[in-house]
Amino acid sequence: MTTPALIGVAGFRGTYAARRIQFGEDPEVLVPLLRRIWTDTFGRDTDAMAAALQAHDWWSLAVNPKPQRWDLQPPVPGLGRPAGNGAIRRGSLRENLDGACEWLYLLHLDQRRLVVYEATVHGRWLRHSAHHLDPVEDLFVTAPALDDGGPDVAVCTVCGAVDEIDHVEVPSMAGYGYDTSTSCTRCGSLVATDPMFGDHLVRKPWPPHTPTTGPTR
């Protein structure tokens, strides 16, 4: 069973330009794959990766794509199996969906980030998750619980706090989507998002700076 998806580049005020991936995969599979393609194939050149992704529609993405007998075009090494050279799809996060795609993956070129949206039962795009292409830059990560079988825990990569994360989500003043703020209650580091300007990340100093005092008399 296929998981059709769109992959492209975020534009101004919630617009995007994207290509279709017939076998798109869920974020748990496609995000790590895109990170590897970004590193291994494009040497962390986000602009080059975006241009290559937008050159074709795709059957699937892969670091080592294997040709199939029904392919009309040869595989693109380090990227995937192209499915045609039709027009780029240009849309908006506020558009009504027709059910043809389940996921939307948008590159934010200036931030080297990948933001994932999922199609909802209401026929709208809903923000699912955001990921740095370089995972070292992620502020909050998930890790297995210490007890086997327990739920994963959220960890702050600045101070190491475990499950001390506060998340707030409100309708955006942009008129569509949501403004969100996810912060560590221990060190105060946070990532704030809005549908117009994307993500803003703040890493607070850790350990906190200790105020210096003058010499005693």
Side-chain angles (χ1 to χ4, degrees):
M1 183 176 180
T2 65
T3 306
L6 296 172
I7 187 164
V9 176
F12 183 62
R13 295 183 64 88
T15 60
Y16 67 84
R19 289 288 194 170
R20 180 183 175 92
I21 311 175
Q22 185 61 36
F23 299 92
E25 302 292 357
D26 294 339
E28 291 78 7
V29 175
L30 200 57
V31 170
L33 174 59
L34 288 168
R35 282 172 166 166
R36 186 177 174 193
I37 289 173
W38 177 67
T39 301
D40 295 357
T41 305
F42 295 99
R44 303 191 170 203
D45 187 331
T46 313
D47 290 341
M49 176 175 166
L53 285 169
Q54 294 200 301
H56 308 275
D57 288 331
W58 301 92
W59 285 113
S60 62
L61 301 181
V63 175
N64 298 302
K66 305 299 182 184
Q68 303 293 332
R69 61 178 180 272
W70 60 79
D71 287 346
L72 299 178
Q73 297 173 280
V76 177
L79 190 55
R81 295 168 45 231
N85 298 320
I88 293 176
R89 172 169 170 165
R90 301 188 185 278
S92 167
L93 297 175
R94 290 169 283 181
E95 66 196 0
N96 293 319
L97 303 181
D98 57 10
C101 290
E102 297 182 31
W103 298 99
L104 171 63
Y105 297 84
L106 292 183
L107 290 165
H108 290 251
L109 302 181
D110 57 337
Q111 302 170 10
R112 301 196 307 176
R113 287 178 70 83
L114 179 69
V115 181
V116 185
Y117 299 85
E118 60 181 315
T120 69
V121 295
H122 304 293
R124 301 284 185 178
W125 290 119
L126 177 67
R127 181 187 170 103
H128 175 273
S129 55
H131 312 266
H132 278 284
L133 289 173
D134 185 347
V136 173
E137 297 180 18
D138 277 336
L139 183 57
F140 304 114
V141 298
T142 57
L146 294 178
D147 54 324
D148 293 337
D152 289 349
V153 295
V155 180
C156 174
T157 60
V158 174
C159 68
V162 175
D163 275 350
E164 296 183 41
I165 310 302
D166 184 44
H167 180 76
V168 177
E169 182 176 283
V170 297
S172 177
M173 295 183 66
Y176 62 95
Y178 291 87
D179 295 339
T180 70
S181 175
T182 305
S183 60
C184 174
T185 58
R186 178 192 289 178
C187 69
S189 297
L190 64 87
V191 56
T193 71
D194 69 72
M196 185 177 299
F197 298 106
D199 300 336
H200 176 65
L201 187 146
V202 177
R203 288 179 176 270
K204 294 295 183 71
W206 188 263
H209 293 315
T210 303
T212 57
T213 59
T216 59
R217 294 182 179 179

